[in-house]
Amino acid sequence: MSNKDYNDIPGTTIFDGDMARKGYWVNQFCMSLVKPDNRARFLADEATYLDEWQITAEQRTAVLKRDYNTLLSLGGNVYFFSKLFFTDEKSFEACAAQMAGMSQPDYRAMMINGGRAVAGNRSTRVEDR
Amino acid sequence: MAKITAGISTSHVPALGVAMDHGNTEDEYWAPLFKGYEHSRQWMQENTPDVVVLVYNDHASAFSLELIPTFAIGCAEQFAIADEGWGPRPVPAVEGHPELAWHIAQSAIEDEFDMTIVNRMPVDHGLTVPLSMLFGQPKSWPCQVIPIAVNVVVYPPPSGRRCYHLGQAIGRAVESFAPDVDVQVWGTGGMSHQLQGPRAGLINQAFDQAFMNDLVANPELLMHKPHIEYLREAGSEGVELVMWLIMRGALGPHAKELYRFYHVPASNTAVGHMILQSA
């Protein structure tokens, strides 16, 4: 796909067709965790459970490490990740803080103070920040 | 004849459902937010509709990457509560209104909106959190619900213009339904928020307030707002706001604002809520 007017937004991956193709199986793996039996099997033996899915070695390592920013670059989508957050009994806030590279208390304090400002975060192009 | 009596917009943050389900709504963090919905719960008791046409997005619950409908209308008798990874929310199942739902589907398709008709669609927080915010915690929901799921997960979502026009088509459909049914249209999601990547936590209060002002007075202007502006200014998940335009389209050209509430934050998100009526 061409003409992506959103690729200059810093720290942001837009889940378009290219990403959805790349991440198809890793997202489908996450989706499987909406079933209690699958959650139990995954938590009991993550590596064996992941063997059942056609994911790449890089995606597999990122899932095992819960490295969500890397998973985003490999086609993962945050709404699918949320099944994994909740399987791990983590809140969305905790996982968003992790992706933002912040501790949860610091992230929460930023949100209470009005959130991350848009100024400076619009574009990686200096003139459009 | 059926009639649209109000339009409601509200964010549908999952943590709001968790706060209610765990009895944490009076905590210091949550109390100001839930206070902002007290007026609306009262208003809802006095203005309970027969049916809510509830526009929301599925968050990889009913629809995985196997099937991604842009506009899906739930025509079933009942909709189960989805398991989103921690078991289904402890809320009543959602009763549909198949007769009106099929009528809206037929009318909208004849009106050139190619709706996907769905008969099995577990509903997630996107639909149940708005019901909980407006109706509290009843044993059964006080009205029937017609879910309209809009794809905002895989880019691109439908344009604002398409959403606004779909709202108009829903308005025409409801008003051509013979039985006397009191219908509200709800648009959910937003406001500014970004849930992913190093830019997570982005909030833009000026954008949100301007959006609410324009939703009442200048919806035609909002209709032409390109997706890139939502992504850049309101965060990657802020683009959910196109769903508010479906509600607004259903109210007709002129609307009056009965109530507005805005609060930052709920977890990662700016919460906005409005009650509108046709004017």
Side-chain angles (χ1 to χ4, degrees):
Chain A
M1 256 178 262
S2 55
N3 193 26
K4 294 187 182 186
D5 56 1
Y6 42 79
N7 277 348
D8 64 305
I9 304 175
T12 302
T13 308
I14 300 303
F15 189 65
D16 60 13
D18 287 340
M19 298 313 285
R21 277 194 294 131
K22 208 169 163 180
Y24 185 84
W25 285 113
V26 80
N27 290 314
Q28 294 298 84
F29 144 70
C30 289
M31 186 80 186
S32 74
L33 300 175
V34 300
K35 294 190 173 154
D37 291 354
N38 290 344
R39 291 199 284 275
R41 278 204 303 125
F42 172 70
L43 289 173
D45 184 351
E46 298 193 5
T48 303
Y49 191 86
L50 289 173
D51 286 343
E52 296 167 19
W53 299 90
Q54 301 167 44
I55 59 176
T56 66
E58 268 182 301
Q59 288 170 334
R60 181 187 172 90
T61 306
V63 169
L64 290 170
K65 288 165 66 179
R66 307 296 195 268
D67 179 354
Y68 291 113
N69 280 335
T70 298
L71 272 179
L72 285 168
S73 73
L74 300 174
N77 172 271
V78 74
Y79 291 121
F80 288 85
F81 295 169
S82 69
K83 319 303 177 194
L84 185 50
F85 303 164
F86 301 141
T87 296
D88 286 337
E89 297 187 13
K90 293 223 160 141
S91 69
F92 220 123
E93 183 187 62
C95 297
Q98 185 202 316
M99 287 182 271
M102 299 170 77
S103 72
Q104 197 177 349
D106 286 354
Y107 181 82
R108 178 173 277 215
M110 173 180 82
M111 297 312 294
I112 289 171
N113 288 321
R116 184 184 305 285
V118 70
N121 285 307
R122 289 188 171 93
S123 174
T124 49
R125 293 188 302 262
V126 178
E127 66 278 19
D128 296 325
R129 275 180 193 162
Chain B
M1 297 300 281
K3 190 171 169 21
I4 294 177
T5 53
I8 309 283
S9 66
T10 180
S11 306
H12 58 217
V13 184
L16 299 174
V18 176
M20 272 184 282
D21 300 343
H22 293 168
N24 297 333
T25 57
E26 287 171 24
D27 290 4
E28 188 187 348
Y29 182 87
W30 291 114
L33 198 155
F34 283 91
K35 201 165 170 42
Y37 279 76
E38 275 174 12
H39 168 271
S40 301
R41 285 185 182 176
Q42 186 62 39
W43 186 89
M44 269 301 180
Q45 282 190 4
E46 291 152 16
N47 297 276
T48 311
D50 300 309
V51 182
V52 171
V53 174
L54 205 158
V55 181
Y56 76 112
N57 67 287
D58 179 78
H59 303 78
S61 299
F63 304 117
S64 70
L65 292 183
E66 283 182 5
L67 182 67
I68 307 163
T70 293
F71 293 119
I73 180 164
C75 295
E77 297 273 356
Q78 199 179 71
F79 303 92
I81 307 301
D83 183 336
E84 300 180 56
W86 73 92
R89 284 192 64 210
V91 294
V94 172
E95 304 297 327
H97 193 306
E99 191 188 353
L100 178 56
W102 279 97
H103 171 83
I104 293 173
Q106 177 166 349
S107 174
I109 291 167
E110 285 171 354
D111 223 347
E112 302 189 351
F113 289 85
D114 309 315
M115 310 295 288
T116 299
I117 293 163
V118 190
N119 280 306
R120 193 166 67 87
M121 185 160 73
V123 289
D124 68 16
H125 70 269
L127 183 131
T128 63
V129 164
L131 291 175
S132 299
M133 294 308 286
L134 276 306
F135 294 130
Q137 295 169 296
K139 284 204 167 49
S140 61
W141 301 117
C143 62
Q144 291 157 314
V145 176
I146 298 173
I148 295 190
V150 180
N151 165 50
V152 298
V153 172
V154 182
Y155 194 87
S159 70
R161 183 167 170 273
R162 188 71 175 155
C163 287
Y164 188 74
H165 287 156
L166 174 62
Q168 292 176 326
I170 291 169
R172 288 190 288 273
V174 169
E175 277 156 24
S176 64
F177 187 65
D180 284 328
V181 181
D182 179 329
V183 179
Q184 290 181 1
V185 180
W186 295 12
T188 73
M191 298 195 83
S192 58
H193 66 305
Q194 177 152 337
L195 300 174
Q196 49 112 359
R199 202 173 77 137
L202 187 113
I203 297 287
N204 188 339
Q205 303 199 21
F207 178 98
D208 291 339
Q209 292 290 358
F211 185 92
M212 288 192 280
N213 293 341
D214 288 336
L215 192 72
V216 180
N218 299 305
E220 304 271 335
L221 186 83
L222 282 187
M223 186 170 98
H224 297 290
K225 191 185 282 297
H227 286 346
I228 183 64
E229 198 176 321
Y230 291 97
L231 302 178
R232 213 182 279 293
E233 299 293 327
S236 49
E237 281 63 58
V239 72
E240 287 179 354
L241 283 168
V242 295
M243 293 186 290
W244 291 31
L245 293 177
I246 297 177
M247 175 276 280
R248 182 63 187 84
L251 294 180
H254 303 291
K256 63 181 176 200
E257 178 177 340
L258 302 188
Y259 184 66
R260 179 190 298 204
F261 174 67
Y262 183 73
H263 178 83
V264 177
S267 186
N268 310 289
T269 305
V271 168
H273 163 48
M274 303 178 86
I275 303 178
L276 305 181
Q277 273 180 336
S278 300

